[in-house]
Coordinates of all heavy atoms in Angstrom, one line a residue:
T337 N 2.6 -5.6 -15.0 CA 3.8 -4.8 -14.9 C 3.6 -3.4 -14.3 O 4.4 -2.9 -13.5 CB 4.4 -4.6 -16.3 OG1 4.7 -5.8 -16.9 CG2 5.6 -3.7 -16.3
N338 N 2.4 -2.8 -14.6 CA 2.1 -1.5 -14.0 C 1.4 -1.6 -12.6 O 1.2 -0.5 -12.0 CB 1.2 -0.8 -15.0 CG 1.9 -0.2 -16.2 OD1 2.6 0.8 -16.1 ND2 1.8 -0.9 -17.3
G339 N 1.2 -2.8 -12.2 CA 0.5 -2.9 -10.9 C -1.0 -2.6 -10.9 O -1.6 -2.4 -9.9
F340 N -1.6 -2.6 -12.1 CA -3.0 -2.4 -12.2 C -3.7 -3.6 -11.6 O -4.8 -3.4 -11.0 CB -3.5 -2.2 -13.6 CG -2.8 -1.0 -14.3 CD1 -2.8 -0.9 -15.7 CD2 -2.2 0.1 -13.6 CE1 -2.2 0.2 -16.3 CE2 -1.7 1.2 -14.2 CZ -1.6 1.2 -15.6
V341 N -3.1 -4.7 -11.8 CA -3.6 -6.0 -11.1 C -2.4 -6.4 -10.2 O -1.3 -6.4 -10.6 CB -3.8 -7.1 -12.1 CG1 -4.1 -8.4 -11.4 CG2 -5.1 -6.7 -13.0
T342 N -2.8 -6.6 -8.9 CA -1.8 -6.9 -8.0 C -2.2 -8.0 -7.0 O -3.4 -8.4 -7.0 CB -1.4 -5.6 -7.2 OG1 -0.2 -5.8 -6.4 CG2 -2.6 -5.3 -6.2
E343 N -1.2 -8.5 -6.3 CA -1.5 -9.7 -5.4 C -2.1 -9.2 -4.1 O -1.7 -8.1 -3.5 CB -0.2 -10.4 -5.1 CG -0.4 -11.7 -4.3 CD 0.8 -12.5 -4.1 OE1 1.9 -12.1 -4.6 OE2 0.8 -13.5 -3.4
V344 N -3.1 -9.9 -3.6 CA -3.7 -9.6 -2.3 C -3.5 -10.9 -1.5 O -3.9 -12.0 -1.8 CB -5.2 -9.4 -2.5 CG1 -5.9 -9.1 -1.1 CG2 -5.5 -8.2 -3.5
S345 N -2.9 -10.7 -0.3 CA -2.5 -11.8 0.6 C -3.5 -12.1 1.6 O -4.1 -11.1 2.2 CB -1.2 -11.5 1.2 OG -0.1 -11.3 0.3
A346 N -3.8 -13.4 1.9 CA -4.7 -13.8 2.9 C -4.1 -15.0 3.6 O -3.2 -15.7 3.1 CB -6.0 -14.1 2.3
D347 N -4.6 -15.3 4.8 CA -4.1 -16.5 5.6 C -4.4 -17.8 4.8 O -3.6 -18.7 5.0 CB -4.8 -16.5 6.9 CG -4.4 -15.4 7.8 OD1 -3.4 -14.8 7.6 OD2 -5.2 -15.1 8.8
D348 N -5.5 -17.8 4.0 CA -5.8 -19.0 3.3 C -5.3 -19.0 1.9 O -5.8 -19.7 1.0 CB -7.3 -19.2 3.3 CG -8.1 -18.0 2.9 OD1 -7.5 -17.0 2.5 OD2 -9.3 -18.1 2.8
G349 N -4.3 -18.2 1.6 CA -3.8 -18.1 0.2 C -3.8 -16.7 -0.3 O -4.0 -15.7 0.5
S350 N -3.6 -16.5 -1.5 CA -3.6 -15.1 -2.1 C -4.4 -15.2 -3.4 O -4.7 -16.2 -3.9 CB -2.2 -14.6 -2.4 OG -1.6 -15.4 -3.4
Y351 N -4.8 -14.0 -3.9 CA -5.5 -13.8 -5.1 C -5.1 -12.5 -5.8 O -4.4 -11.7 -5.2 CB -7.1 -13.9 -4.9 CG -7.6 -12.8 -4.1 CD1 -8.0 -11.6 -4.7 CD2 -7.7 -12.8 -2.7 CE1 -8.6 -10.5 -3.9 CE2 -8.2 -11.8 -1.9 CZ -8.6 -10.7 -2.5 OH -9.1 -9.6 -1.8
L352 N -5.5 -12.4 -7.0 CA -5.2 -11.2 -7.8 C -6.4 -10.3 -7.9 O -7.5 -10.8 -8.1 CB -4.7 -11.5 -9.2 CG -3.3 -12.3 -9.2 CD1 -3.1 -12.8 -10.6 CD2 -2.2 -11.4 -8.7
A353 N -6.2 -9.0 -7.8 CA -7.3 -8.0 -8.0 C -6.8 -6.7 -8.5 O -5.6 -6.5 -8.4 CB -8.1 -7.8 -6.7
A354 N -7.7 -5.9 -9.0 CA -7.2 -4.5 -9.4 C -6.9 -3.7 -8.2 O -7.6 -3.8 -7.2 CB -8.3 -3.9 -10.2
S355 N -5.9 -2.9 -8.3 CA -5.6 -1.9 -7.2 C -6.5 -0.7 -7.4 O -7.2 -0.5 -8.4 CB -4.1 -1.4 -7.3 OG -3.9 -0.8 -8.6
S356 N -6.5 0.1 -6.3 CA -7.3 1.3 -6.4 C -6.8 2.3 -7.5 O -5.6 2.3 -7.7 CB -7.3 2.1 -5.0 OG -7.8 1.3 -4.0
P357 N -7.6 3.1 -8.1 CA -7.2 4.0 -9.1 C -6.3 5.1 -8.5 O -6.5 5.6 -7.4 CB -8.5 4.6 -9.6 CG -9.5 4.4 -8.6 CD -9.1 3.1 -7.9
G358 N -5.2 5.4 -9.2 CA -4.3 6.4 -8.8 C -3.0 5.7 -8.2 O -3.1 4.7 -7.5
Q359 N -1.9 6.2 -8.6 CA -0.6 5.7 -8.1 C 0.3 6.9 -7.6 O 0.1 8.0 -8.1 CB 0.1 4.9 -9.2 CG -0.6 3.6 -9.6 CD 0.1 2.8 -10.6 OE1 0.9 3.4 -11.5 NE2 0.0 1.5 -10.6
F360 N 1.1 6.6 -6.7 CA 2.0 7.6 -6.1 C 3.4 7.2 -6.1 O 3.8 6.1 -6.1 CB 1.6 7.8 -4.6 CG 0.1 8.2 -4.4 CD1 -0.8 7.2 -4.2 CD2 -0.3 9.5 -4.5 CE1 -2.2 7.5 -4.0 CE2 -1.6 9.9 -4.4 CZ -2.6 8.9 -4.1
D361 N 4.3 8.3 -6.2 CA 5.7 8.1 -6.1 C 6.3 7.2 -7.2 O 7.3 6.5 -7.0 CB 6.1 7.6 -4.7 CG 5.7 8.6 -3.6 OD1 5.7 9.8 -3.8 OD2 5.2 8.1 -2.5
E362 N 5.7 7.2 -8.3 CA 6.2 6.5 -9.5 C 6.4 5.0 -9.2 O 7.3 4.4 -9.7 CB 7.4 7.1 -10.0 CG 7.2 8.5 -10.5 CD 8.5 9.2 -11.1 OE1 9.5 9.3 -10.3 OE2 8.5 9.5 -12.3
R363 N 5.5 4.4 -8.4 CA 5.6 3.0 -8.2 C 4.3 2.3 -8.0 O 3.3 3.0 -7.6 CB 6.5 2.7 -6.9 CG 5.8 3.2 -5.6 CD 6.6 2.8 -4.4 NE 6.0 3.2 -3.2 CZ 5.1 2.5 -2.5 NH1 4.7 1.3 -3.0 NH2 4.6 2.9 -1.4
P364 N 4.2 1.0 -8.4 CA 2.9 0.4 -8.1 C 2.6 0.2 -6.7 O 3.5 0.4 -5.8 CB 3.1 -1.0 -8.8 CG 4.3 -0.8 -9.7 CD 5.1 0.2 -9.1
I365 N 1.4 -0.1 -6.3 CA 1.0 -0.1 -4.9 C 1.6 -1.3 -4.2 O 1.8 -1.2 -3.0 CB -0.6 -0.2 -4.8 CG1 -1.0 0.1 -3.4 CG2 -1.1 -1.5 -5.3 CD1 -2.5 0.4 -3.3
G366 N 1.9 -2.4 -4.9 CA 2.5 -3.6 -4.2 C 1.5 -4.5 -3.6 O 0.3 -4.3 -3.8
R367 N 1.9 -5.5 -2.9 CA 1.0 -6.5 -2.3 C 0.1 -5.8 -1.3 O 0.5 -5.0 -0.5 CB 1.8 -7.6 -1.7 CG 1.0 -8.7 -1.1 CD 1.9 -9.8 -0.5 NE 2.6 -10.5 -1.5 CZ 3.2 -11.7 -1.3 NH1 3.3 -12.1 0.0 NH2 3.8 -12.3 -2.2
L368 N -1.1 -6.3 -1.3 CA -2.2 -5.8 -0.4 C -2.7 -6.9 0.5 O -2.4 -8.1 0.3 CB -3.3 -5.2 -1.2 CG -3.0 -4.0 -2.1 CD1 -4.1 -3.7 -3.0 CD2 -2.5 -2.8 -1.3
G369 N -3.4 -6.5 1.6 CA -3.9 -7.5 2.5 C -5.4 -7.7 2.2 O -6.2 -6.8 1.8
A370 N -5.9 -9.0 2.4 CA -7.3 -9.3 2.2 C -8.2 -8.8 3.2 O -7.8 -8.1 4.1 CB -7.4 -10.9 2.1
S371 N -9.5 -9.0 3.0 CA -10.5 -8.5 3.9 C -10.4 -9.2 5.3 O -9.9 -10.3 5.4 CB -11.9 -8.7 3.4 OG -12.2 -10.1 3.3
P372 N -10.8 -8.6 6.4 CA -10.7 -9.2 7.7 C -11.8 -10.2 7.9 O -12.8 -10.2 7.3 CB -10.9 -8.0 8.6 CG -11.8 -7.0 7.8 CD -11.4 -7.2 6.4
G373 N -11.5 -11.1 8.9 CA -12.6 -12.0 9.3 C -13.6 -11.2 10.1 O -13.3 -10.1 10.6
Y374 N -14.8 -11.7 10.3 CA -15.8 -11.1 11.0 C -15.4 -10.9 12.5 O -15.2 -11.8 13.2 CB -17.1 -12.0 10.9 CG -18.3 -11.5 11.7 CD1 -18.6 -10.2 11.8 CD2 -19.1 -12.4 12.3 CE1 -19.7 -9.7 12.5 CE2 -20.2 -12.0 13.0 CZ -20.5 -10.7 13.1 OH -21.6 -10.3 13.8
G375 N -15.3 -9.6 12.9 CA -14.9 -9.3 14.2 C -13.5 -9.7 14.6 O -13.1 -9.7 15.8
E376 N -12.6 -9.9 13.6 CA -11.3 -10.4 13.8 C -10.5 -9.4 14.7 O -9.6 -9.9 15.5 CB -10.6 -10.5 12.4 CG -9.1 -11.0 12.5 CD -8.5 -11.0 11.2 OE1 -9.2 -11.0 10.1 OE2 -7.2 -11.1 11.1
H377 N -10.7 -8.2 14.6 CA -9.8 -7.2 15.4 C -10.6 -6.6 16.6 O -10.1 -5.5 17.1 CB -9.3 -6.1 14.4 CG -8.6 -6.7 13.2 ND1 -9.2 -7.0 12.0 CD2 -7.3 -7.1 13.1 CE1 -8.3 -7.5 11.2 NE2 -7.2 -7.5 11.8
T378 N -11.6 -7.1 17.0 CA -12.4 -6.5 18.1 C -11.5 -6.4 19.3 O -11.5 -5.2 19.9 CB -13.6 -7.4 18.4 OG1 -14.5 -7.5 17.3 CG2 -14.4 -6.8 19.6
D379 N -10.9 -7.4 19.8 CA -10.1 -7.3 21.0 C -8.9 -6.3 20.8 O -8.6 -5.5 21.7 CB -9.5 -8.7 21.4 CG -10.6 -9.6 21.9 OD1 -11.8 -9.3 21.7 OD2 -10.2 -10.6 22.6

Side-chain angles (χ1 to χ4, degrees):
T337 299
N338 283 281
F340 301 159
V341 169
T342 193
E343 185 176 359
V344 182
S345 300
D347 293 339
D348 54 359
S350 63
Y351 64 90
L352 295 170
S355 62
S356 297
Q359 295 183 328
F360 301 95
D361 301 323
E362 298 183 297
R363 67 175 180 86
I365 194 168
R367 180 179 291 189
L368 300 170
S371 67
Y374 175 37
E376 178 182 346
H377 303 94
T378 299
D379 287 18

